[in-house]
Amino acid sequence: MGDGRALDAAEVRAWCSLALEALGREREEIDAINVYPVADGDTGTNLYLTVESAAQAVEAVFAAHETGPSVPAAADVVRAMAHGALLGARGNSGTILAQLLRGMAERSGEDDHLAGALRRASVLAREAVAHPVEGTILSVARAAAEAAAEAAPGSLGDTARAAYEGARAALDATPGQLAVLGRAGVVDAGGRGLLAVLGALVEALSGEAPTAPALAHVRPAAAAALAQPCADGGPAFEVIYLLEADDAAVARLRTRLDGLGDSLVVVGGDGLWNVHVHVDDAGAAVEAGVEAGRPYRIRITHFDTAAAESREQVQRAVVVVVPGDGVAGLCAEAGATTVLARPGEPPASGELIDAIRRAHAREVVLLPNSAELRHTAAAAAEQARTEGVRVALIPTRAAVQGIAALAVHEPDRRFDEDVVAMTAAAGATRYAELAVAERQSWTSAGVCQAGDVLGLIDGDVAVIGADLPGTAEAVLSRMLSAGGELVTLILGDDVPDGDAVTARLERYVREGYLAVDTVVYRGGRGASPLLIGVE
């Protein structure tokens, strides 16, 4: 390049910090012009959360060097920025932005670093999208790369400003490229967010921030058009997860997911990927990830029709922690926002806060479904309240209690009445869990050996058995001795002959307790062998 250098570590740090500030300022306005691919009003928020994760990773690199005499290498900082974005990517645009940053990281330190990095970023981002569409963030990224290439060789500041101006011109053209934007009278929200990130780069290198364009600058009648969801209705769920898998498995996953839905974006590499897709069958999308490798941090969001018809927040939402992807799909179909708790990996308060924000509601009912999450959920609820959200924490201790509460949820009644009804339903549900002992130990029911099946009722070991069906029958006998009208069974995917097990237990209840009904759900991967609820 003209000044013979690439970005240094301090400039990358400043860029990341300024980008976060810019997206923080413009988040709500970018949300307001979000009409493609789904008019769910969250593009600005998703981009902010993606860059927030990137900024945290960058600061962690600098913190590791605080006690030493040296500063981190610029290449390490750029890679940290890209990796942090990959881990924290949210939504369609956030996932694409993470891949753009990965492309820039790949060219870190090269002579034509900025122009070459933007060019590589654009190529990688297009490769990550199953069906690239013009008039989106992809068009803006390509224009930025082309403008930077024309400006090189030159100073870093001049190249960055040329990229910004090229991106701005491309952004102005997006309403003419994508019909839904033209009807709404707005530019592409993802492209507008990328322009903010490029503007932050200009400021980091030159000390002067470019003048940001008006967001809804085509015609003022955008609000009416923004209320319309995608013309074809679109899939019901957004599914996002991180995935540990090799390249061959990811190639097969792309094909599988492309047949399930749309807005497919798979970004990453070197064994770690971020998967984003819109589907009608959320469980199938997660199962495809399980077949490809190890999915985690699974997020399933229901595209609420009522929310899509208005840019305003919904009045009320339910956020529920679930123990398996099958339960996640069940709760998402009921309209809840879900947070997956994997064995040994309980969600942190930040994940719960993120879910509350994604729910985009004035009032939120939080169902932690675990006694161990009591303090974590309380901290998340308190943080959300400082952000203006009215949160009620119902101390559910098991997934079956959460399902019972969700079953009586009525968003149209008064908030306090809804919370009371949901709390009563959860409290009236006794719960049990069957697990396999990992080693010999003392329990409240006596000594167990490794491999024994433990039946825990309300959190305490009540039955020790040799096999799952027999132990489950003993647990059901104890629970139904106090009465009950409905038995809920949630079976994990790892149980051998699962259909035979549930058939036996349904028969046991039917023949021994004539007035009691039984309902069976699949817990999916990550769920306990068997969860039991009695109402």
Side-chain angles (χ1 to χ4, degrees), residues 317-416:
V318 178
V319 173
V320 56
V321 180
V322 294
D325 50 65
V327 182
L330 174 69
C331 293
E333 288 173 7
T337 298
T338 61
V339 180
L340 190 67
R342 300 184 64 87
E345 299 179 22
S349 60
E351 292 178 73
L352 300 184
I353 293 168
D354 178 25
I356 291 172
R357 290 169 178 160
R358 283 190 288 121
H360 199 57
R362 299 182 182 89
E363 302 168 340
V364 169
V365 180
L366 179 58
L367 307 174
N369 291 343
S370 171
E372 296 178 356
L373 290 176
R374 182 176 69 254
H375 297 304
T376 301
E382 187 60 34
Q383 173 62 36
R385 292 182 188 117
T386 67
E387 298 177 8
V389 182
R390 186 181 184 187
V391 181
L393 171 59
I394 299 178
T396 49
R397 299 165 63 90
V400 288
Q401 290 188 325
I403 291 173
L406 192 57
V408 300
H409 167 56
E410 292 185 12
D412 293 333
R413 62 185 166 196
R414 291 179 55 247
F415 184 63
D416 291 339

Side-chain angles (χ1 to χ4, degrees), residues 378-467:
E382 187 60 34
Q383 173 62 36
R385 292 182 188 117
T386 67
E387 298 177 8
V389 182
R390 186 181 184 187
V391 181
L393 171 59
I394 299 178
T396 49
R397 299 165 63 90
V400 288
Q401 290 188 325
I403 291 173
L406 192 57
V408 300
H409 167 56
E410 292 185 12
D412 293 333
R413 62 185 166 196
R414 291 179 55 247
F415 184 63
D416 291 339
E417 293 176 355
D418 199 26
V419 171
V420 168
M422 294 176 72
T423 302
T429 303
R430 284 161 286 152
Y431 63 94
E433 176 184 358
L434 271 69
V436 178
E438 297 180 355
R439 59 184 178 277
Q440 183 187 59
S441 61
W442 290 91
T443 75
S444 53
V447 179
C448 71
Q449 305 296 327
D452 283 348
V453 178
L454 307 180
L456 293 84
I457 300 177
D458 295 335
D460 295 321
V461 178
V463 178
I464 300 175
D467 61 75

Side-chain angles (χ1 to χ4, degrees), residues 98-449:
Q99 192 75 338
L100 289 168
L101 293 175
R102 178 181 174 84
M104 296 191 71
E106 286 188 1
R107 296 300 168 93
S108 176
E110 296 187 5
D111 288 342
D112 68 339
H113 168 63
L114 191 51
L118 289 170
R119 182 170 58 251
R120 178 59 177 162
S122 176
V123 169
L124 275 188
R126 283 185 174 268
E127 291 176 349
V129 178
H131 301 284
V133 174
E134 297 305 327
T136 65
I137 186 174
L138 297 174
S139 303
V140 176
R142 182 168 60 189
E146 292 173 349
E150 291 176 3
S155 71
L156 279 175
D158 289 345
T159 303
R161 187 169 292 278
Y164 177 87
E165 294 301 334
R168 181 167 179 169
L171 180 68
D172 288 340
T174 57
Q177 294 175 293
L178 200 54
V180 67
L181 301 180
R183 289 194 299 269
V186 296
V187 296
D188 178 65
R192 181 64 187 83
L194 176 59
L195 189 68
V197 173
L198 291 172
L201 178 60
V202 173
E203 184 176 0
L205 293 173
S206 67
E208 298 180 2
T211 303
L215 283 160
H217 64 286
V218 180
R219 69 173 186 266
L226 286 174
Q228 301 301 318
C230 292
D232 61 357
F237 301 101
E238 177 185 59
V239 178
I240 306 173
Y241 49 79
L242 292 177
L243 177 69
E244 293 176 358
D246 59 33
D247 291 1
V250 170
R252 292 191 297 271
L253 176 67
R254 289 180 193 270
T255 301
R256 173 84 180 276
L257 292 179
D258 193 28
L260 289 175
D262 59 29
S263 298
L264 172 61
V265 185
V266 181
V267 303
D270 301 321
L272 180 62
W273 310 82
N274 191 304
V275 179
H276 169 281
V277 67
H278 295 172
V279 294
D280 282 319
D281 189 343
V286 174
E287 184 61 30
V290 172
E291 293 176 2
R294 177 180 174 262
Y296 60 104
R297 294 194 190 177
I298 301 170
R299 295 186 298 276
I300 301 174
T301 303
H302 184 264
F303 291 128
D304 188 342
T305 302
E309 290 177 352
S310 172
R311 290 186 296 125
E312 299 296 324
Q313 288 178 302
V314 296
Q315 182 61 31
R316 190 174 310 154
V318 178
V319 173
V320 56
V321 180
V322 294
D325 50 65
V327 182
L330 174 69
C331 293
E333 288 173 7
T337 298
T338 61
V339 180
L340 190 67
R342 300 184 64 87
E345 299 179 22
S349 60
E351 292 178 73
L352 300 184
I353 293 168
D354 178 25
I356 291 172
R357 290 169 178 160
R358 283 190 288 121
H360 199 57
R362 299 182 182 89
E363 302 168 340
V364 169
V365 180
L366 179 58
L367 307 174
N369 291 343
S370 171
E372 296 178 356
L373 290 176
R374 182 176 69 254
H375 297 304
T376 301
E382 187 60 34
Q383 173 62 36
R385 292 182 188 117
T386 67
E387 298 177 8
V389 182
R390 186 181 184 187
V391 181
L393 171 59
I394 299 178
T396 49
R397 299 165 63 90
V400 288
Q401 290 188 325
I403 291 173
L406 192 57
V408 300
H409 167 56
E410 292 185 12
D412 293 333
R413 62 185 166 196
R414 291 179 55 247
F415 184 63
D416 291 339
E417 293 176 355
D418 199 26
V419 171
V420 168
M422 294 176 72
T423 302
T429 303
R430 284 161 286 152
Y431 63 94
E433 176 184 358
L434 271 69
V436 178
E438 297 180 355
R439 59 184 178 277
Q440 183 187 59
S441 61
W442 290 91
T443 75
S444 53
V447 179
C448 71
Q449 305 296 327

